Amino acid sequence: MTLDRMLQPTKGPTRHHRGLTRQDGLHHHPEPGCPDPTGIPQLPGTTPAAFTRLNAAAATRLGVSPDRYAHLVGMAPQHLADDVYRTPASTNVRIWELMTLQAPWHEVSVHMGRQTTLGTLGLWDYLLTQAPTPLDGLRDAARFVATVADAGTEALHIEENEQYITLSHINGADLSDDVASAIRAYSLSLFRPRISESTRRAITPTKVAIAARAPRTHQSLIQLYGTRAIDFASPVNSITFRTADVITPQPHAPGLSALLRRHAERLLAEAVPLRDWLDIFRATLRSAQDAEIPTLQAAARHMCLSTRTLQRRLEEHRTTWSQELQALRREQTLRLLSSTDLSLTAIAGRVGYADAGGLRRAVQRWTGQPLAAIRAHHDDCRPSGPSMARDS
């Protein structure tokens, strides 16, 4: 597979806006391998549940039996239905592999493009279409690519000059040729309908360049992109529009873009990545965070396993029930201390400590700070006003 490369700058003044692609601990990358100072969580190796739902539905309509992908990590109904969860990128790649076994890659990309109506991709669709201008929407779409794709391997790059705006899609994943070709062609197909929707008029690209070999016939791709100007076997995957078409102000609610960006940041910050079995186990425990601390028997029953099998699976992932339960208690305790006015006695009871004294000692051991310091920080950040009385 030939990996996409960045466009070379065109003659004349240009400006560049890059999407974000990876998070490794506290390190962020505006494109694979480059530092990202923005602090927006990227959750590499995962994709939003909305994209996985779309892939699964499209695969079924193409004739792929759900039995062939229903067992994959992240495909449980409770995870697909809740947008807080993120599915492993490998699960989505497998669904695309099944589709390309069912039909040629260009037919898969056309099929997916037709399935992806406005709103199907969730928040990303509205970041793209509800901005003051289409160009502003493209910039937001590039910045928040993690709301629609695996930002560990995919990015959007915008090159601007007075005549043309070129959007390139970079895919650095290790994929088979057919899957890579289908994903690249599909990704470019999203922008013409979204820009047309946002401007309330038909917008046609001046050129499309696909980093894939030419199919025997590509009439369906001409219809998908709305142009015959399609280059194949390109070193970069890109779509180009006239600058005049994407800088015209469009109808939008004042302040809506800022609200959508804040929502995107919060959505990514609160997302629960499901990369493997251990992530799913932890999500199962976390789902009980506002109830009583779960027991081993209850967790095993919820995951349809025996207690011994659950313990063995945890050992295979180099952890134990006790360690996971302690980590859950710590997470819940610090969250309740920093975001609620519950009394210490109430918090202790909720997270499984006999009294407030045990809670104080645990917090000191975890953080090296007295419990009062954590609650004082919460008070400093909380708006002034009446509050519930609590233990100190």
Side-chain angles (χ1 to χ4, degrees), residues 328-376:
L328 176 65
R329 280 179 169 168
R330 172 176 175 164
E331 177 184 313
Q332 289 184 238
T333 298
L334 296 180
R335 178 181 63 83
L336 292 171
L337 285 172
S338 64
S339 62
T340 76
D341 285 317
L342 289 173
S343 70
L344 301 188
T345 300
I347 294 175
R350 183 173 291 193
V351 299
Y353 286 95
D355 52 37
L359 180 68
R360 286 193 180 92
R361 290 189 292 274
V363 171
Q364 177 74 44
R365 183 173 67 253
W366 292 333
T367 68
Q369 298 180 0
L371 187 148
I374 295 175
R375 296 222 93 155

Side-chain angles (χ1 to χ4, degrees), residues 54 58 61-62 96 106-118 120 185-186 189-190 192-194 218-225:
L54 168 65
R61 294 190 183 102
L62 199 61
W96 278 77
H106 61 285
E107 291 184 14
V108 171
S109 61
V110 170
H111 173 71
M112 282 293 300
R114 290 171 177 166
Q115 302 296 314
T116 314
T117 55
L118 181 65
T120 308
Y186 162 70
S189 77
L190 299 174
R192 182 176 74 101
R194 295 300 181 270
H218 61 275
Q219 185 61 37
S220 58
L221 290 175
I222 291 173
Q223 295 175 355
L224 186 66
Y225 299 126

Side-chain angles (χ1 to χ4, degrees), residues 98-365:
L98 292 171
M99 286 195 285
T100 56
L101 291 174
Q102 194 75 17
W105 69 262
H106 61 285
E107 291 184 14
V108 171
S109 61
V110 170
H111 173 71
M112 282 293 300
R114 290 171 177 166
Q115 302 296 314
T116 314
T117 55
L118 181 65
T120 308
L121 296 176
L123 179 60
W124 188 82
D125 273 344
Y126 300 107
L127 286 164
L128 183 52
T129 59
Q130 301 301 313
T133 70
L135 180 56
D136 291 325
L138 289 173
R139 291 168 180 165
D140 284 345
R143 184 183 182 201
F144 291 101
V145 71
T147 62
V148 73
D150 174 12
T153 58
E154 302 205 35
L156 299 174
H157 171 90
I158 302 171
E159 181 180 343
E160 309 173 26
N161 63 35
E162 293 181 357
Q163 290 184 301
Y164 300 106
I165 302 294
T166 296
L167 179 76
S168 56
H169 165 244
I170 303 164
N171 186 323
D174 184 13
L175 306 171
S176 68
D177 285 342
D178 282 348
V179 172
S181 298
I183 290 176
R184 290 169 180 171
Y186 162 70
S187 298
L188 296 183
S189 77
L190 299 174
F191 297 101
R192 182 176 74 101
R194 295 300 181 270
I195 292 175
S196 296
E197 297 246 14
S198 65
T199 58
R200 313 294 196 272
R201 61 190 180 90
I203 300 296
T204 301
T206 61
K207 180 182 178 181
V208 174
I210 304 178
R213 66 189 184 282
R216 183 170 300 177
T217 175
H218 61 275
Q219 185 61 37
S220 58
L221 290 175
I222 291 173
Q223 295 175 355
L224 186 66
Y225 299 126
T227 181
R228 292 184 175 276
I230 304 175
D231 292 340
F232 293 95
S234 172
V236 66
N237 208 49
S238 66
I239 187 166
T240 301
F241 297 95
R242 293 179 183 86
T243 298
D245 286 336
V246 296
I247 63 172
T248 303
Q250 59 191 26
H252 71 287
L256 181 57
S257 284
L259 180 64
L260 290 170
R261 287 192 294 270
R262 288 196 296 272
H263 182 50
E265 291 174 355
R266 180 175 179 180
L267 182 70
L268 292 172
E270 296 178 354
V272 178
L274 303 177
R275 297 183 178 90
D276 54 24
W277 180 88
L278 185 58
D279 278 343
I280 291 178
F281 167 77
R282 288 170 174 168
T284 300
L285 290 189
R286 196 178 290 113
S287 66
Q289 65 183 1
D290 291 321
E292 295 181 357
I293 291 292
T295 64
L296 173 62
Q297 291 75 15
R301 192 163 53 248
H302 188 83
M303 299 192 72
C304 300
L305 300 172
S306 69
T307 56
R308 181 67 196 112
T309 299
L310 177 57
Q311 289 174 315
R312 185 168 62 252
R313 294 292 296 274
L314 290 171
E315 290 171 2
E316 290 170 356
H317 286 81
R318 299 182 180 181
T319 185
T320 66
W321 169 258
S322 177
Q323 290 172 332
E324 293 300 316
L325 191 62
Q326 185 69 0
L328 176 65
R329 280 179 169 168
R330 172 176 175 164
E331 177 184 313
Q332 289 184 238
T333 298
L334 296 180
R335 178 181 63 83
L336 292 171
L337 285 172
S338 64
S339 62
T340 76
D341 285 317
L342 289 173
S343 70
L344 301 188
T345 300
I347 294 175
R350 183 173 291 193
V351 299
Y353 286 95
D355 52 37
L359 180 68
R360 286 193 180 92
R361 290 189 292 274
V363 171
Q364 177 74 44
R365 183 173 67 253

